[in-house]
Amino acid sequence: MTSKKRIFSGIQPTGIIHLGNYFGAIYNWIQLLKKEKDLDVFCCIVDYHALTVFQKPEVLSENIKQLAKLYIACGLDPSRVTIFRQSAVPEHTELAWLLNCITPMAELERMTQYKDKSEQHKSNINAGLFTYPVLMAADILLYDTDFVPVGEDQKQHVELARVIAKKFNNLYGETFKEPGVYVNPVSARLRALDNPEKKMSKSASSEYNYISLTDTPDIVEKKIKKAVTDSGSEIKYGEARPAISNLMTIYSLATEMSIKDIEKKFIGKGYGDFKKSLTEHLVNFLKPIQKKLSAIDDNELEAILKNGGIEARKIASKKVAEVREKIGL
Ligand code: AMP
Ligand code: TRP
């Protein structure tokens, strides 16, 4: 086992990456890297997970590249972190099968994401959707992960990875580290701009649900203008005001201003002023990411992914060899 602390996380290459993905996940990976110099970070593009919902092949391969570029454009430096595709390391699916055989159906039936997604995709409730958390457990456990930084919706899956690790260790002897979960309380669950009852989501039917990291200034302006607000007109944070509180959270994350200071700044002003300022800050926040994104060369990216896959596989193959031996294969 390693002495450096290791974090592992992943995002599905299923289209746009929105502010929820950024602040719920990527931002925290970067913050953790800044705080702890001696950290091993694995940033995975979980392309196998994406397949639980049908993806057009040519779109999927573009989305994989785009997500890898976004990781880099957001500030994940490939010389410090391992960026790789899940499907480049076959040990992920191999371990997933082995873990499937010790995972109780009842545990999987409890998973709220499975219940939600099967509700959303009634015509394609496939076995992959059901066993999705076991593949995620394999992702995490292969690397002796200490912490998994994710948004609130993934907490239950990381907890299941702990349950599976414990069960395997009990059956076959100490093999897997039980991973911890890291959820940033501020950005754990950004809400949809068009409906604060729901979370910001890639699979939303309307693009007014989210701000994508690649949205142009015009689009950001249009989306913020249309964003739902609460009754009243004050810029005040509170549980009874979920829409404006969500916008204020986004404001705070993009500017690093505290909620209290944002309230002070907008005393006596209305939603119009607030939205105008939020638009400006978001445009400025997205600009450097978009600039970096357009400068990444495709060949360079291929080399980064290839190298990331080789590095990841070195660790994953050792772990799977140990597991096979313990199981008696
Ligand atoms: P996914 O798009 O499902 O692959 O999610 C990638 C990461 O973004 C995971 O860590 C999620 O928990 C996180 N995430 C997704 N939506 C949100 C949201 N609305 N607020 C905060 N985090 C989110
Ligand atoms: N299931 C996660 C999501 O939808 C993505 C994911 C797959 C992941 N494997 C992972 C996240 C391992 C963290 C660690 O967001």
Side-chain angles (χ1 to χ4, degrees):
M1 301 223 174
T2 55
S3 54
K4 261 188 175 180
K5 284 255 181 285
R6 191 169 279 167
I7 70 173
F8 183 103
S9 200
I11 297 182
Q12 301 183 61
T14 46
I16 60 106
I17 299 297
H18 54 64
L19 289 180
N21 301 131
Y22 179 82
F23 286 115
I26 299 173
Y27 171 79
N28 299 311
W29 313 348
I30 295 170
Q31 291 306 106
L32 287 168
L33 262 165
K34 276 190 191 153
K35 252 198 283 179
E36 261 190 72
K37 293 273 173 278
D38 221 16
L39 202 61
D40 230 0
V41 180
F42 286 78
C43 308
C44 192
I45 294 152
V46 288
D47 44 9
Y48 278 150
H49 277 107
L51 296 174
T52 52
V53 174
F54 177 75
Q55 309 288 328
K56 285 199 184 115
E58 64 281 11
V59 178
L60 178 64
S61 60
E62 272 314 305
N63 282 341
I64 290 169
K65 275 199 245 164
Q66 174 77 353
L67 179 56
K69 285 186 182 176
L70 271 169
Y71 279 175
I72 299 165
C74 287
L76 292 163
D77 173 358
S79 68
R80 271 208 69 194
V81 305
T82 306
I83 297 177
F84 75 107
R85 300 168 57 153
Q86 185 184 34
S87 65
V89 183
E91 284 78 6
H92 286 245
T93 37
E94 183 171 359
L95 182 62
W97 173 257
L98 301 173
L99 299 181
N100 259 321
C101 297
I102 61 159
T103 305
M105 293 279 280
E107 289 285 350
L108 295 177
E109 278 160 359
R110 286 192 315 110
M111 296 293 116
T112 54
Q113 183 170 302
Y114 167 69
K115 289 187 218 163
D116 291 349
K117 284 208 176 170
S118 43
E119 193 56 37
Q120 273 170 27
H121 304 279
K122 283 211 170 85
S123 59
N124 183 18
I125 306 179
N126 56 64
L129 200 59
F130 188 63
T131 57
Y132 174 116
V134 183
L135 178 59
M136 179 161 162
D139 298 342
I140 297 166
L141 300 181
L142 271 177
Y143 298 91
D144 288 327
T145 301
D146 292 285
F147 283 101
V148 185
V150 279
E152 178 76 34
D153 61 341
Q154 297 302 317
K155 216 171 145 184
Q156 197 183 30
H157 290 161
V158 182
E159 277 156 11
L160 178 63
R162 291 174 66 87
V163 170
I164 295 175
K166 214 179 276 175
K167 180 140 187 219
F168 189 99
N169 291 345
N170 280 337
L171 286 169
Y172 298 107
E174 199 61 27
T175 309
F176 294 121
K177 197 177 251 186
E178 287 177 37
V181 62
Y182 175 83
V183 177
N184 179 338
V186 179
S187 55
R189 189 174 183 273
L190 292 189
R191 296 159 186 260
L193 300 182
D194 59 353
N195 181 357
E197 302 294 313
K198 291 196 174 155
K199 67 170 186 176
M200 191 177 281
S201 165
K202 286 175 186 171
S203 53
S205 53
S206 161
E207 61 169 5
Y208 288 97
N209 169 294
Y210 53 76
I211 301 275
S212 158
L213 296 190
T214 52
D215 279 346
T216 60
D218 284 358
I219 294 179
V220 173
E221 187 181 5
K222 233 179 10 189
K223 288 183 175 176
I224 296 295
K225 233 183 215 157
K226 257 194 108 165
V228 171
T229 44
D230 309 285
S231 55
S233 62
E234 273 181 308
I235 313 304
K236 236 179 160 358
Y237 191 93
E239 250 175 55
R241 305 167 60 74
I244 192 69
S245 298
N246 186 48
L247 294 177
M248 290 173 78
T249 299
I250 294 173
Y251 196 111
S252 167
L253 289 164
T255 59
E256 295 183 3
M257 259 172 91
S258 70
I259 296 287
K260 281 250 158 334
D261 285 344
I262 298 169
E263 284 180 343
K264 257 193 237 152
K265 182 176 161 85
F266 290 99
I267 288 174
K269 295 187 179 152
Y271 289 149
D273 293 309
F274 173 79
K275 283 185 166 184
K276 195 162 166 256
S277 175
L278 175 59
T279 301
E280 274 168 24
H281 284 300
L282 280 178
V283 167
N284 285 336
F285 166 78
L286 294 175
K287 210 187 281 170
I289 296 177
Q290 294 174 357
K291 195 170 164 214
K292 234 176 141 185
L293 185 67
S294 62
I296 300 167
D297 173 76
D298 275 347
N299 293 330
E300 201 185 316
L301 184 80
E302 271 313 311
I304 289 168
L305 286 177
K306 191 169 170 212
N307 190 44
I310 291 170
E311 286 306 308
R313 200 159 184 208
K314 279 185 200 158
I315 298 166
S317 59
K318 266 196 210 140
K319 188 53 108 184
V320 164
E322 182 190 346
V323 169
R324 290 174 68 107
E325 198 191 314
K326 291 234 166 102
I327 287 182
L329 291 170

